[in-house]
């Protein structure tokens, strides 16, 4: 992995909300940058080993949009288009005119909408562990977690949230299950009051409605992928989103769940770069299933 990096953090303001971008240049400075937009509790600095693997091939841009990280809290009644406009403003102020995007979980709806509205800006899009609303099956558990958070029962909140995000079926193989469980429990049990309010508002936004807008159809090459054991946003959700594009691809990563970027960061980065470079992802050994629009499902690799 690359150890020499040039990191630039910049502050921006939109409609009174402060947000930040972080640009990292590693081994390669002249390639199309990868823009990452993450999920709940994910800060612009917290992509970890996934970012490091990407930096071997591309510059990386990460963001704290309103509602995340060091940015201001965003009330739940602000919609996805506001976040897309905010992200576009940040890129404009950086002078960035073209990116490949990797988005995860809560960030899925932002990346998807960005590709819809600004196809000239987004070369390729990977949606990881897609979340466009809170699925009905887990809504009661999510509401309970918000109650625990509001009552500051932090150990119970952490345990309940980890149980939501991670597959608890020990008969299913999840790489680094124990280590990731420990990391998440520590992270969730120690969140600040500011982070708790951001998580609450973001979750209420997702609970209000499904943020997947069916029109216009995405022209950007789209890959929607998750871990094969994702119980928070089950694979069928990712499959449905992939099928909204005439050129969409749906794939499953073996031995992983919703937290695939922590469990299999090298493989996730390899998958991102293969899609960005338009290489055949079905040949990657850790891809369990790959379905292309109009083709029959196929089990491959792994």
């Amino acid at each position: 992995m690359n150890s020499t990096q040039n990191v630039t953090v910049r502050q921006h303001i939109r409609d009174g909300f402060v947000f930040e971008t972080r640009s990292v240049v590693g081994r390669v400075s002249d390639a199309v940058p990868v823009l990452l937009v993450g999920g709940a509790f994910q800060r612009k600095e917290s992509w970890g080993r996934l970012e490091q693997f990407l930096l071997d091939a591309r510059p990386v841009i990460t963001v704290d949009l309103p509602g995340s990280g060091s940015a201001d809290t965003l009330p739940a009644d602000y919609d996805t288009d506001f976040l897309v406009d905010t992200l576009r403003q940040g890129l404009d102020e950086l002078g960035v005119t073209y990116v490949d995007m990797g988005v995860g979980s809560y960030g899925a709806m932002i990346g998807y909408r960005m590709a819809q509205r600004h196809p000239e800006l987004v070369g390729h899009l990977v949606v990881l562990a897609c979340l466009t609303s809170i699925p009905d099956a887990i809504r009661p558990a999510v509401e309970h977690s918000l109650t625990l958070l509001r009552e500051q029962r932090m150990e119970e909140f952490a345990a309940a949230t980890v149980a939501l995000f991670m597959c608890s079926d020990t008969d299913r193989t999840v790489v680094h299950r124990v280590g990731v469980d420990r990391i998440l429990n520590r992270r969730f049990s120690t969140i600040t009051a500011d982070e708790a309010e951001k998580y609450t508002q973001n979750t209420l936004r997702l609970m209000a409605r499904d943020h997947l807008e069916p029109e216009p159809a995405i022209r950007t090459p789209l890959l929607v992928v998750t871990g094969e054991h994702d119980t928070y946003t089950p694979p069928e959700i990712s499959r449905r989103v992939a099928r909204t594009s005439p050129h969409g691809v749906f794939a499953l990563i073996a031995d992983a769940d919703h937290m695939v970027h922590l469990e299999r960061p090298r493989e996730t980065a390899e998958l991102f770069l293969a899609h960005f470079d338009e290489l055949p992802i079905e040949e990657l050994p850790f891809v369990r299933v790959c379905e292309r629009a109009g083709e029959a499902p196929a089990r491959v690799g792994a």
Side-chain angles (χ1 to χ4, degrees):
M1 281 190 291
N2 175 49
S3 59
T4 303
Q5 299 172 7
N6 180 11
V7 181
T8 303
V9 175
R10 182 168 172 179
Q11 190 175 92
H12 313 261
I13 300 177
R14 182 172 186 84
D15 292 353
F17 292 97
V18 174
F19 67 103
E20 291 188 348
T21 56
R22 173 176 168 271
S23 305
V24 189
V25 178
R27 181 174 298 165
V28 180
S29 61
D30 58 352
V32 173
V34 177
L35 172 62
L36 299 175
V37 183
F41 303 109
Q42 200 160 0
R43 306 174 64 91
K44 62 185 181 301
E45 303 89 358
S46 66
W47 285 91
R49 296 181 68 212
L50 172 59
E51 178 185 278
Q52 295 303 309
F53 289 123
L54 290 173
L55 282 168
D56 284 340
R58 304 281 195 96
V60 173
I61 301 169
T62 60
V63 294
D64 282 341
L65 291 173
S68 66
S70 59
D72 288 339
T73 299
L74 187 69
D77 55 354
Y78 280 80
D79 64 9
T80 305
D81 280 338
F82 175 81
L83 290 165
V84 169
D85 291 340
T86 302
L87 182 55
R88 178 63 191 264
Q89 176 186 323
L91 294 176
D92 287 346
E93 292 177 359
L94 292 176
V96 174
T97 59
Y98 192 75
V99 296
D100 288 328
M101 286 189 75
V103 298
S105 196
Y106 173 74
M109 61 183 184
I110 301 170
Y112 189 94
R113 191 66 174 149
M114 175 72 89
Q116 283 181 307
R117 292 182 53 197
H118 303 290
E120 78 288 348
L121 175 65
V122 182
H124 302 79
L125 174 63
V126 178
V127 176
L128 183 67
C130 187
L131 182 65
T132 62
S133 66
I134 300 297
D136 289 342
I138 63 170
R139 188 170 287 256
V142 172
E143 292 172 342
H144 177 61
S145 75
L146 291 178
T147 298
L148 295 174
L149 184 58
R150 184 171 59 251
E151 296 175 355
Q152 298 185 14
R153 296 156 61 183
M154 301 312 295
E155 289 188 7
E156 293 174 81
F157 167 74
T161 306
V162 171
L164 274 169
F165 287 173
M166 295 191 67
C167 175
S168 58
D169 185 349
T170 55
D171 290 333
R172 300 183 181 185
T173 300
V174 174
V175 176
H176 303 308
R177 183 201 303 268
V178 173
V180 172
D181 183 294
R182 185 183 304 115
I183 290 169
L184 294 182
N185 263 291
R186 183 167 58 246
R187 175 76 178 97
F188 297 157
S189 64
T190 59
I191 65 171
T192 65
D194 175 67
E195 290 174 322
E197 181 61 17
K198 288 172 180 171
Y199 175 72
T200 298
Q201 294 301 316
N202 292 345
T203 302
L204 291 175
R205 180 178 299 108
L206 286 169
M207 293 183 73
R209 66 180 182 89
D210 191 328
H211 293 263
L212 181 68
E213 299 286 351
E215 299 292 340
I218 284 187
R219 303 200 309 267
T220 298
L222 171 67
L223 169 63
V224 189
V225 61
T226 192
E228 64 176 336
H229 304 310
D230 187 344
T231 52
Y232 185 62
T233 53
E236 187 54 40
I237 295 176
S238 293
R239 179 183 281 110
R240 174 174 65 89
V241 173
R243 288 176 175 172
T244 63
S245 168
H247 307 293
V249 180
F250 162 72
L252 292 178
I253 296 179
D255 302 332
D257 58 25
H258 187 74
M259 305 309 297
V260 60
H261 72 286
L262 294 177
E263 295 153 356
R264 307 202 70 172
R266 181 189 296 274
E267 292 85 354
T268 303
E270 189 174 346
L271 185 65
F272 277 30
L273 293 171
H275 179 66
F276 297 158
D277 293 337
E278 301 186 357
L279 301 175
I281 65 169
E282 53 267 46
E283 295 182 5
L284 297 172
F286 52 84
V287 172
R288 182 77 78 190
V289 169
C290 181
E291 300 175 15
R292 298 182 180 274
E295 295 180 3
R299 294 186 68 85
V300 297

